[in-house]
PDB file of all heavy atoms in Angstrom:
ATOM      1  N   MET A 124      75.377 165.329 114.783  1.00  0.00           N
ATOM      2  CA  MET A 124      75.530 166.672 115.351  1.00  0.00           C
ATOM      3  C   MET A 124      75.312 167.768 114.315  1.00  0.00           C
ATOM      4  O   MET A 124      75.650 168.914 114.534  1.00  0.00           O
ATOM      5  CB  MET A 124      76.944 166.813 115.963  1.00  0.00           C
ATOM      6  CG  MET A 124      77.189 165.885 117.142  1.00  0.00           C
ATOM      7  SD  MET A 124      75.983 166.082 118.474  1.00  0.00           S
ATOM      8  CE  MET A 124      76.346 167.736 119.029  1.00  0.00           C
ATOM      9  N   TYR A 125      74.815 167.413 113.123  1.00  0.00           N
ATOM     10  CA  TYR A 125      74.564 168.466 112.141  1.00  0.00           C
ATOM     11  C   TYR A 125      73.398 169.323 112.601  1.00  0.00           C
ATOM     12  O   TYR A 125      72.562 168.906 113.406  1.00  0.00           O
ATOM     13  CB  TYR A 125      74.261 167.853 110.771  1.00  0.00           C
ATOM     14  CG  TYR A 125      73.047 166.971 110.713  1.00  0.00           C
ATOM     15  CD1 TYR A 125      71.787 167.506 110.511  1.00  0.00           C
ATOM     16  CD2 TYR A 125      73.149 165.595 110.854  1.00  0.00           C
ATOM     17  CE1 TYR A 125      70.649 166.710 110.460  1.00  0.00           C
ATOM     18  CE2 TYR A 125      72.026 164.778 110.810  1.00  0.00           C
ATOM     19  CZ  TYR A 125      70.789 165.355 110.600  1.00  0.00           C
ATOM     20  OH  TYR A 125      69.687 164.548 110.556  1.00  0.00           O
ATOM     21  N   ILE A 126      73.354 170.524 112.072  1.00  0.00           N
ATOM     22  CA  ILE A 126      72.325 171.476 112.474  1.00  0.00           C
ATOM     23  C   ILE A 126      71.304 171.578 111.352  1.00  0.00           C
ATOM     24  O   ILE A 126      71.644 171.915 110.217  1.00  0.00           O
ATOM     25  CB  ILE A 126      72.948 172.851 112.740  1.00  0.00           C
ATOM     26  CG1 ILE A 126      74.036 172.731 113.830  1.00  0.00           C
ATOM     27  CG2 ILE A 126      71.895 173.867 113.174  1.00  0.00           C
ATOM     28  CD1 ILE A 126      74.784 174.018 114.066  1.00  0.00           C
ATOM     29  N   ARG A 127      70.044 171.277 111.674  1.00  0.00           N
ATOM     30  CA  ARG A 127      69.023 171.320 110.622  1.00  0.00           C
ATOM     31  C   ARG A 127      68.768 172.763 110.195  1.00  0.00           C
ATOM     32  O   ARG A 127      68.911 173.703 110.972  1.00  0.00           O
ATOM     33  CB  ARG A 127      67.737 170.666 111.125  1.00  0.00           C
ATOM     34  CG  ARG A 127      67.114 171.324 112.338  1.00  0.00           C
ATOM     35  CD  ARG A 127      65.838 170.591 112.731  1.00  0.00           C
ATOM     36  NE  ARG A 127      65.286 171.113 113.969  1.00  0.00           N
ATOM     37  CZ  ARG A 127      64.218 170.620 114.563  1.00  0.00           C
ATOM     38  NH1 ARG A 127      63.563 169.605 114.029  1.00  0.00           N
ATOM     39  NH2 ARG A 127      63.774 171.126 115.692  1.00  0.00           N
ATOM     40  N   GLU A 128      68.393 172.880 108.948  1.00  0.00           N
ATOM     41  CA  GLU A 128      68.085 174.178 108.339  1.00  0.00           C
ATOM     42  C   GLU A 128      69.316 175.110 108.305  1.00  0.00           C
ATOM     43  O   GLU A 128      69.169 176.324 108.235  1.00  0.00           O
ATOM     44  CB  GLU A 128      66.933 174.879 109.085  1.00  0.00           C
ATOM     45  CG  GLU A 128      65.641 174.094 109.088  1.00  0.00           C
ATOM     46  CD  GLU A 128      65.141 173.789 107.682  1.00  0.00           C
ATOM     47  OE1 GLU A 128      65.322 174.634 106.791  1.00  0.00           O
ATOM     48  OE2 GLU A 128      64.597 172.694 107.489  1.00  0.00           O
ATOM     49  N   HIS A 129      70.510 174.533 108.406  1.00  0.00           N
ATOM     50  CA  HIS A 129      71.716 175.347 108.338  1.00  0.00           C
ATOM     51  C   HIS A 129      72.199 175.416 106.882  1.00  0.00           C
ATOM     52  O   HIS A 129      72.208 174.421 106.189  1.00  0.00           O
ATOM     53  CB  HIS A 129      72.798 174.754 109.235  1.00  0.00           C
ATOM     54  CG  HIS A 129      73.950 175.682 109.488  1.00  0.00           C
ATOM     55  ND1 HIS A 129      74.956 175.851 108.590  1.00  0.00           N
ATOM     56  CD2 HIS A 129      74.228 176.486 110.543  1.00  0.00           C
ATOM     57  CE1 HIS A 129      75.848 176.722 109.082  1.00  0.00           C
ATOM     58  NE2 HIS A 129      75.425 177.112 110.253  1.00  0.00           N
ATOM     59  N   ARG A 130      72.628 176.584 106.445  1.00  0.00           N
ATOM     60  CA  ARG A 130      72.967 176.752 105.030  1.00  0.00           C
ATOM     61  C   ARG A 130      74.147 175.867 104.607  1.00  0.00           C
ATOM     62  O   ARG A 130      74.250 175.461 103.455  1.00  0.00           O
ATOM     63  CB  ARG A 130      73.258 178.207 104.719  1.00  0.00           C
ATOM     64  CG  ARG A 130      74.459 178.788 105.458  1.00  0.00           C
ATOM     65  CD  ARG A 130      74.675 180.245 105.006  1.00  0.00           C
ATOM     66  NE  ARG A 130      75.820 180.861 105.658  1.00  0.00           N
ATOM     67  CZ  ARG A 130      75.770 181.489 106.823  1.00  0.00           C
ATOM     68  NH1 ARG A 130      74.599 181.577 107.450  1.00  0.00           N
ATOM     69  NH2 ARG A 130      76.838 182.027 107.366  1.00  0.00           N
ATOM     70  N   THR A 131      75.048 175.574 105.553  1.00  0.00           N
ATOM     71  CA  THR A 131      76.184 174.719 105.222  1.00  0.00           C
ATOM     72  C   THR A 131      75.737 173.333 104.800  1.00  0.00           C
ATOM     73  O   THR A 131      76.211 172.771 103.818  1.00  0.00           O
ATOM     74  CB  THR A 131      77.139 174.603 106.409  1.00  0.00           C
ATOM     75  OG1 THR A 131      77.613 175.905 106.756  1.00  0.00           O
ATOM     76  CG2 THR A 131      78.321 173.700 106.076  1.00  0.00           C
ATOM     77  N   TYR A 132      74.771 172.804 105.537  1.00  0.00           N
ATOM     78  CA  TYR A 132      74.325 171.442 105.244  1.00  0.00           C
ATOM     79  C   TYR A 132      73.389 171.442 104.020  1.00  0.00           C
ATOM     80  O   TYR A 132      73.296 170.433 103.318  1.00  0.00           O
ATOM     81  CB  TYR A 132      73.628 170.857 106.479  1.00  0.00           C
ATOM     82  CG  TYR A 132      74.603 170.736 107.622  1.00  0.00           C
ATOM     83  CD1 TYR A 132      74.619 171.658 108.656  1.00  0.00           C
ATOM     84  CD2 TYR A 132      75.555 169.720 107.623  1.00  0.00           C
ATOM     85  CE1 TYR A 132      75.535 171.567 109.681  1.00  0.00           C
ATOM     86  CE2 TYR A 132      76.455 169.619 108.652  1.00  0.00           C
ATOM     87  CZ  TYR A 132      76.456 170.541 109.667  1.00  0.00           C
ATOM     88  OH  TYR A 132      77.373 170.443 110.677  1.00  0.00           O
ATOM     89  N   LYS A 133      72.705 172.540 103.792  1.00  0.00           N
ATOM     90  CA  LYS A 133      71.925 172.638 102.554  1.00  0.00           C
ATOM     91  C   LYS A 133      72.878 172.639 101.360  1.00  0.00           C
ATOM     92  O   LYS A 133      72.593 172.002 100.329  1.00  0.00           O
ATOM     93  CB  LYS A 133      71.085 173.915 102.571  1.00  0.00           C
ATOM     94  CG  LYS A 133      69.906 173.862 103.543  1.00  0.00           C
ATOM     95  CD  LYS A 133      69.074 175.125 103.442  1.00  0.00           C
ATOM     96  CE  LYS A 133      67.840 175.048 104.332  1.00  0.00           C
ATOM     97  NZ  LYS A 133      67.023 176.261 104.241  1.00  0.00           N
ATOM     98  N   ALA A 134      74.003 173.351 101.480  1.00  0.00           N
ATOM     99  CA  ALA A 134      74.980 173.375 100.401  1.00  0.00           C
ATOM    100  C   ALA A 134      75.586 171.988 100.179  1.00  0.00           C
ATOM    101  O   ALA A 134      75.803 171.550  99.055  1.00  0.00           O
ATOM    102  CB  ALA A 134      76.089 174.378 100.725  1.00  0.00           C
ATOM    103  N   THR A 136      74.124 169.170 100.767  1.00  0.00           N
ATOM    104  CA  THR A 136      73.118 168.369 100.082  1.00  0.00           C
ATOM    105  C   THR A 136      73.118 168.653  98.575  1.00  0.00           C
ATOM    106  O   THR A 136      72.996 167.734  97.754  1.00  0.00           O
ATOM    107  CB  THR A 136      71.719 168.675 100.660  1.00  0.00           C
ATOM    108  OG1 THR A 136      71.724 168.386 102.061  1.00  0.00           O
ATOM    109  CG2 THR A 136      70.636 167.844  99.980  1.00  0.00           C
ATOM    110  N   ALA A 570      62.163 169.448 121.454  1.00  0.00           N
ATOM    111  CA  ALA A 570      61.915 169.443 120.011  1.00  0.00           C
ATOM    112  C   ALA A 570      62.354 170.754 119.359  1.00  0.00           C
ATOM    113  O   ALA A 570      62.523 170.829 118.141  1.00  0.00           O
ATOM    114  CB  ALA A 570      60.441 169.199 119.720  1.00  0.00           C
ATOM    115  N   THR A 571      62.576 171.778 120.152  1.00  0.00           N
ATOM    116  CA  THR A 571      63.034 173.083 119.611  1.00  0.00           C
ATOM    117  C   THR A 571      64.527 173.083 119.337  1.00  0.00           C
ATOM    118  O   THR A 571      65.041 174.008 118.730  1.00  0.00           O
ATOM    119  CB  THR A 571      62.690 174.202 120.575  1.00  0.00           C
ATOM    120  OG1 THR A 571      63.354 173.952 121.846  1.00  0.00           O
ATOM    121  CG2 THR A 571      61.187 174.273 120.817  1.00  0.00           C
ATOM    122  N   SER A 572      65.230 172.040 119.787  1.00  0.00           N
ATOM    123  CA  SER A 572      66.668 171.981 119.563  1.00  0.00           C
ATOM    124  C   SER A 572      66.982 171.788 118.077  1.00  0.00           C
ATOM    125  O   SER A 572      66.204 171.181 117.348  1.00  0.00           O
ATOM    126  CB  SER A 572      67.296 170.830 120.384  1.00  0.00           C
ATOM    127  OG  SER A 572      68.652 170.639 120.043  1.00  0.00           O
ATOM    128  N   VAL A 573      68.149 172.270 117.665  1.00  0.00           N
ATOM    129  CA  VAL A 573      68.547 172.108 116.275  1.00  0.00           C
ATOM    130  C   VAL A 573      69.367 170.822 116.075  1.00  0.00           C
ATOM    131  O   VAL A 573      69.701 170.457 114.952  1.00  0.00           O
ATOM    132  CB  VAL A 573      69.402 173.310 115.797  1.00  0.00           C
ATOM    133  CG1 VAL A 573      68.586 174.569 115.800  1.00  0.00           C
ATOM    134  CG2 VAL A 573      70.654 173.484 116.680  1.00  0.00           C
ATOM    135  N   PHE A 574      69.690 170.135 117.182  1.00  0.00           N
ATOM    136  CA  PHE A 574      70.497 168.919 117.094  1.00  0.00           C
ATOM    137  C   PHE A 574      69.590 167.688 117.079  1.00  0.00           C
ATOM    138  O   PHE A 574      68.792 167.483 118.001  1.00  0.00           O
ATOM    139  CB  PHE A 574      71.465 168.831 118.251  1.00  0.00           C
ATOM    140  CG  PHE A 574      72.493 169.916 118.284  1.00  0.00           C
ATOM    141  CD1 PHE A 574      72.409 170.956 119.198  1.00  0.00           C
ATOM    142  CD2 PHE A 574      73.523 169.937 117.355  1.00  0.00           C
ATOM    143  CE1 PHE A 574      73.331 171.987 119.204  1.00  0.00           C
ATOM    144  CE2 PHE A 574      74.465 170.952 117.364  1.00  0.00           C
ATOM    145  CZ  PHE A 574      74.359 171.985 118.283  1.00  0.00           C
ATOM    146  N   PRO A 575      69.690 166.851 116.064  1.00  0.00           N
ATOM    147  CA  PRO A 575      68.804 165.684 115.914  1.00  0.00           C
ATOM    148  C   PRO A 575      68.830 164.757 117.133  1.00  0.00           C
ATOM    149  O   PRO A 575      67.788 164.252 117.535  1.00  0.00           O
ATOM    150  CB  PRO A 575      69.351 164.981 114.678  1.00  0.00           C
ATOM    151  CG  PRO A 575      70.030 166.047 113.904  1.00  0.00           C
ATOM    152  CD  PRO A 575      70.600 166.987 114.906  1.00  0.00           C
ATOM    153  N   TYR A 578      66.518 166.523 119.805  1.00  0.00           N
ATOM    154  CA  TYR A 578      65.071 166.654 119.621  1.00  0.00           C
ATOM    155  C   TYR A 578      64.389 165.311 119.383  1.00  0.00           C
ATOM    156  O   TYR A 578      63.228 165.123 119.732  1.00  0.00           O
ATOM    157  CB  TYR A 578      64.722 167.684 118.539  1.00  0.00           C
ATOM    158  CG  TYR A 578      65.144 167.392 117.137  1.00  0.00           C
ATOM    159  CD1 TYR A 578      64.526 166.401 116.352  1.00  0.00           C
ATOM    160  CD2 TYR A 578      66.121 168.166 116.510  1.00  0.00           C
ATOM    161  CE1 TYR A 578      64.904 166.166 115.041  1.00  0.00           C
ATOM    162  CE2 TYR A 578      66.520 167.923 115.206  1.00  0.00           C
ATOM    163  CZ  TYR A 578      65.892 166.948 114.468  1.00  0.00           C
ATOM    164  OH  TYR A 578      66.252 166.709 113.178  1.00  0.00           O
TER     165      TYR A 578
END
Side-chain angles (χ1 to χ4, degrees):
M124 296 303 294
Y125 62 85
I126 304 175
R127 60 180 174 183
E128 300 302 325
H129 194 279
R130 63 177 181 272
T131 300
Y132 297 101
K133 288 183 177 180
T136 301
T571 60
S572 172
V573 295
F574 296 106
Y578 65 71

